[in-house]
Amino acid sequence: MAPAQGGRRRPAEHGGACDGRLPRAELRRWTAADVTDPLGAAPQPAVIGNDDYLPEPCVLHPETVTEYPAPHEPREELAERVEAWEDEHDFCYQHDLGVAPGCKVGGHAPWSFSDPFPMACPEYGSDVRPLLTIDGSEWDGGSGSRRPVEDAGCAGLHFLGPARATQLDIGRGHSLQLYVCTASHDHPHVQNMQ
């Protein structure tokens, strides 16, 4: 990735830090003490590589959400108990309790089009944990309980309305996850797209 004006690096669409198919991400760690001259406004990137990776300006409403692993991650015995509970309570674990859709910090891995596979720190082989998920949709068609109260009356398809306020589009509607080493934050991150 070539340095841009002012020594900043340019976001690139593919290649480099990962396997060549994912949008490239760069993690930087700062402490409050590192920020000695705060900016008045966020700078606009000189080059983004793809407009789908630049969010539309919108209001951020962070909230704490409790989520549980994807339905196919728990042990078989627990998965069977969850299925029985779903049937008894007319509830959908996947959409109402499992991995929450949308952009988030931490949480569980949103396995969607592949089964879970092992991921490890590329430097030492230690475990990694989810750090950040970047998703173009904040709720989906199946997550009625995950839909924000202010969007409850939204008519139409979720991917055409307020659920897509950021207008992000990672890999034709997927999400990009960044994972960090549990042993050291200095190790390279791991990326996955689901």
Side-chain angles (χ1 to χ4, degrees), residues 62-168:
E63 59 185 303
T64 301
V65 174
T66 300
E67 66 174 7
Y68 297 94
H72 48 283
E73 285 193 75
R75 298 180 322 272
E76 187 174 335
E77 175 194 334
L78 180 56
E80 289 172 1
R81 290 176 49 206
V82 167
E83 281 184 43
W85 183 85
E86 282 181 312
D87 293 342
E88 184 180 326
H89 293 89
D90 192 29
F91 211 68
C92 181
Y93 173 88
Q94 178 173 346
H95 295 298
D96 296 310
L97 295 174
V99 179
C103 295
K104 61 186 175 182
V105 175
H108 290 278
W111 300 103
S112 59
F113 63 82
S114 76
D115 287 338
F117 54 85
M119 289 190 287
C121 171
E123 193 157 321
Y124 287 112
S126 46
D127 290 340
V128 294
R129 65 175 173 78
L131 172 70
L132 179 66
T133 299
I134 302 168
D135 194 343
S137 183
E138 291 301 308
W139 47 270
D140 57 40
S143 58
S145 66
R146 303 265 193 210
R147 183 184 302 197
V149 174
E150 61 270 18
D151 295 340
C154 174
L157 300 171
H158 76 280
F159 56 84
L160 297 176
R164 302 260 311 132
T166 62
Q167 296 297 307
L168 289 170

Side-chain angles (χ1 to χ4, degrees), residues 21-46:
R21 296 177 293 130
L22 300 174
R24 187 181 339 182
E26 184 176 318
L27 295 179
R28 297 183 185 192
R29 185 178 189 93
W30 287 297
T31 65
D34 294 333
V35 182
T36 58
D37 189 19
L39 300 174
Q44 293 297 311

